[in-house]
Amino acid sequence: MSMHSTARRAWLTDAPVLMVAVVWGSSYLAAKGVTTGSSVVAILLLRFLVAVPLLGAVTHRAVRRLTGRELRGGLILGLILTTIFLTETYGVVHTSATNAGLIISLTMIFTPLAEAALSRSRPGRSFLTASALSVVGVVLLTQGTGFTAPSLGDLLMLLAAVARTANVLVMHRLPAVKETDDAALTFVQLTTAVIAFALLSPFTGTAPWHVAVTLTGGQWLNVLYLAVMCTLFAFFVQLWAVRRTSPSRVSMLLGTEPLWAAVVGVALGGDRPGVLGYLGGALVLAGTSWGRRASEQPTAPGSPPGPDQSARDTEGQSPGDDLLARA
């Protein structure tokens, strides 16, 4: 096979994955455009009432094969996922789409650090430096044009990044779901989230049916975009791509999500981070990119597995992990 043909095939695989990163980056602006503080739970419920039946139509056979133990594992992960959805969506209501996309990227730093803590190993110097750079970037990013206290939305996005980290750690340490079909597990988790949103909706603001009838055509397009493109399209592209390329390559391409969040937020959302904000955003992108590369460096022979090895061990085990850690 010629180099030209190989490069073309790689691009045909990479392009849909890169599109997922673009779609996810734009999801913060889409959510912000349709959600208010009183309609967060209602919008989440409407979004997943669209996505879950469509997913169920193609996963029903795999779902029927799940054991009771696997269902209980999916329920636990579904409750964590519900927390992620709530903190991210409430967060994006109270901060800019640019801030939301960049702050949530700290998950790439938090996860290896948490892995290192659990394995009682010390992160490498490069990774710690990259982590510090990312934290400084977030501090600058949340200040905008001057030094002030971070907004409620910024803090909620930080909490969402912690929740995403918890989701990845639990998923890879929960024996019940280690061999579970990805699509079936996704269905169980999203169904759990739908049930949770339905139970919460009477206590959290505007009723879902009232929100549904008051949405404009453009707002319904946003809801459908979040349900179809940011959930179903993203999940199935990952399942397709991870079988045709390496998990590391898929992870690298999806790691460009915060860049696209910033581009979409500034170009389409009218975000104006200010000089400090732009500098902070650049530091976050540099720090998370550096941290990702540092976490993939091989450990020295005989040394205990640190976050570098943990990241490689968990990376790609479940193609749906990135989806399941997203709102």
Side-chain angles (χ1 to χ4, degrees):
M1 185 180 294
S2 68
M3 291 181 60
H4 177 74
S5 176
T6 301
R8 183 172 180 272
R9 175 170 291 186
W11 168 245
L12 289 176
T13 302
D14 290 349
V17 180
L18 187 61
M19 179 58 67
V20 170
V22 175
V23 165
W24 279 352
S26 66
S27 68
Y28 302 101
L29 185 61
K32 193 171 182 66
V34 74
T35 312
T36 65
S38 63
S39 67
V40 166
V41 174
I43 291 296
L44 285 170
L45 182 57
L46 293 174
R47 170 184 173 179
F48 291 109
L49 280 175
V50 173
V52 169
L54 293 175
L55 181 61
V58 296
T59 62
H60 62 279
R61 291 181 181 175
V63 171
R64 285 203 300 267
R65 291 195 295 268
L66 293 177
T67 66
R69 188 165 177 256
E70 289 172 328
L71 286 170
R72 289 190 293 273
L75 174 62
I76 292 170
L77 292 172
L79 293 175
I80 299 175
L81 198 63
T82 300
T83 302
I84 296 171
F85 291 150
L86 290 172
T87 51
E88 280 197 7
T89 311
Y90 275 114
V92 80
V93 167
H94 296 289
T95 190
S96 68
T98 300
N99 277 27
L102 290 169
I103 292 172
I104 201 66
S105 70
L106 288 178
T107 304
M108 289 186 283
I109 296 296
F110 291 165
T111 303
L113 287 176
E115 287 279 6
L118 290 173
S119 63
R120 298 183 179 180
S121 60
R122 182 177 179 179
R125 184 176 301 175
S126 294
F127 184 81
L128 290 176
T129 304
S131 300
L133 191 67
S134 298
V135 171
V136 171
V138 167
V139 171
L140 293 177
L141 177 70
T142 58
Q143 303 312 301
T145 56
F147 285 98
T148 59
S151 71
L152 173 62
D154 296 331
L155 296 175
L156 285 170
M157 294 310 297
L158 277 173
L159 184 59
V162 173
R164 279 198 192 190
T165 298
N167 185 69
V168 173
L169 295 179
V170 172
M171 177 171 289
H172 290 291
R173 282 168 171 74
L174 197 63
V177 300
K178 278 192 175 293
E179 303 299 327
T180 305
D181 179 86
D182 292 312
L185 184 63
T186 301
F187 178 79
V188 172
Q189 290 181 79
L190 294 183
T191 300
T192 301
V194 166
I195 294 171
F197 297 145
L199 293 175
L200 288 172
S201 62
F203 312 101
T204 54
T206 312
W209 55 86
H210 179 72
V211 172
V213 298
T214 56
L215 289 177
T216 65
Q219 289 174 322
W220 265 112
L221 285 177
N222 274 358
V223 172
L224 293 175
Y225 179 76
L226 290 167
V228 176
M229 295 300 295
C230 300
T231 303
L232 297 177
F233 169 76
F235 175 74
F236 286 110
V237 165
Q238 286 183 91
L239 282 181
W240 171 81
V242 83
R243 289 169 171 79
R244 288 164 176 79
T245 187
S246 69
S248 294
R249 193 171 181 86
V250 172
S251 180
M252 178 188 68
L253 291 167
L254 294 178
T256 64
E257 175 196 340
L259 172 63
W260 299 113
V263 169
V264 171
V266 172
L268 301 181
D271 294 345
R272 296 294 179 264
V275 175
L276 287 177
Y278 282 116
L279 176 60
L283 291 178
V284 170
L285 290 172
T288 53
S289 177
W290 185 12
R292 178 186 289 273
R293 291 196 303 272
S295 72
E296 293 172 354
Q297 294 301 312
T299 54
S303 61
D308 49 358
Q309 186 65 48
S310 300
R312 294 197 307 280
D313 290 343
T314 58
E315 189 181 65
Q317 285 184 7
S318 173
D321 287 358
D322 286 307
L323 167 67
L324 297 175
R326 288 204 23 81

